[in-house]
């Protein structure tokens, strides 16, 4: 059996670390091949521990379990954030069942960029929708990162919008 796996995020493609290496996986040969080719063309020598971890992720299904847990946590985060935003008075663009982002707008706010600027003054980073638009025209939509949406400072800031 032969499987070629590229592990790592696109931002790591110029690294020779084990997390961003091309792994040729043959179970019987895996532990005897200490040199792996990185995306930049250089080679990296991996320790036995790295090979054990990579092989375990591929063979034992730990990666699949990790991804399932991550999806479940994101789905829960989506539901929590959507409930919070609706309670504060936001309108959701749509209600996805899972995913990393949630788009919403507050009816009293026409320019999300101004809201993001006010939030930045309190060390809160918001993603105004125009940053993700082709025309970059200001608009009311915000893109919330579900993974970071349980931050206390963000929640306090959003609750102040309900009072306004």
């Amino acid at each position: 059996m032969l499987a070629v796996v590229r592990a790592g995020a696109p931002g790591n493609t110029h690294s020779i670390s084990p997390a961003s290496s091309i792994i040729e996986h043959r179970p019987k040969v895996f532990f005897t091949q200490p040199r792996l080719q990185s995306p930049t063309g250089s080679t990296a020598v991996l320790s036995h521990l790295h090979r054990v971890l990579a092989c375990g992720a591929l063979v034992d299904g730990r990666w699949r379990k990790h991804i399932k847990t991550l999806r479940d946590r994101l789905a829960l985060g989506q539901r929590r954030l959507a409930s919070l935003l609706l309670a504060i008075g936001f309108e959701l663009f749509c209600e996805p069942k899972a995913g990393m982002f949630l788009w919403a707008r507050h009816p009293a706010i026409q320019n999300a960029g101004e809201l993001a600027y006010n939030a930045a003054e309190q060390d809160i980073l918001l993603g105004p929708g125009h940053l993700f638009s082709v025309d970059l025209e200001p608009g009311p939509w915000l893109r919330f990162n579900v993974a970071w949406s349980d931050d206390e400072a963000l929640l306090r800031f959003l609750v102040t919008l309900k009072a306004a």
Side-chain angles (χ1 to χ4, degrees):
M1 175 175 85
L2 172 66
V4 177
V5 177
R6 192 215 169 273
N12 295 338
T13 56
H14 299 293
S15 168
I16 59 169
S17 70
S20 63
S21 299
I22 303 296
I23 300 170
E24 182 180 301
H25 174 218
R26 289 185 183 142
K28 292 183 180 179
V29 184
F30 191 77
F31 292 101
T32 62
Q33 301 294 324
R35 301 185 75 77
L36 299 178
Q37 188 73 27
S38 79
T40 59
S42 61
T43 58
V45 177
L46 297 180
S47 70
H48 179 71
L49 175 62
H50 288 125
R51 292 192 302 273
V52 169
L53 292 174
C55 186
L58 295 170
V59 176
D60 297 340
R62 283 184 243 155
W63 180 253
R64 187 173 40 254
K65 293 173 190 172
H66 168 71
I67 294 298
K68 182 186 180 324
T69 301
L70 182 62
R71 283 184 183 143
D72 292 345
R73 290 177 60 197
L74 282 172
L76 178 62
Q78 280 277 356
R79 289 191 300 272
R80 286 181 179 168
L81 180 59
S83 297
L84 174 73
L85 292 175
L86 289 171
I88 294 171
F90 276 80
E91 171 191 339
L92 301 180
F93 181 75
C94 68
E95 293 188 47
K97 301 293 184 221
M100 293 178 19
F101 303 106
L102 187 65
W103 287 80
R105 72 181 189 100
H106 194 280
I109 298 169
Q110 296 305 313
N111 186 349
E114 291 175 9
L115 180 65
Y117 182 78
N118 294 338
E121 290 176 345
Q122 298 179 33
D123 293 327
I124 299 169
L125 182 62
L126 292 178
H130 73 273
L131 295 179
F132 308 98
S133 171
V134 175
D135 60 7
L136 297 175
E137 290 294 320
W141 295 98
L142 290 160
R143 187 176 91 160
F144 290 91
N145 183 327
V146 173
W148 293 97
S149 64
D150 61 350
D151 181 69
E152 286 297 321
L154 172 64
L155 299 177
R156 281 193 306 272
F157 179 78
L158 292 175
V159 169
T160 62
L161 297 175
K162 184 175 183 176

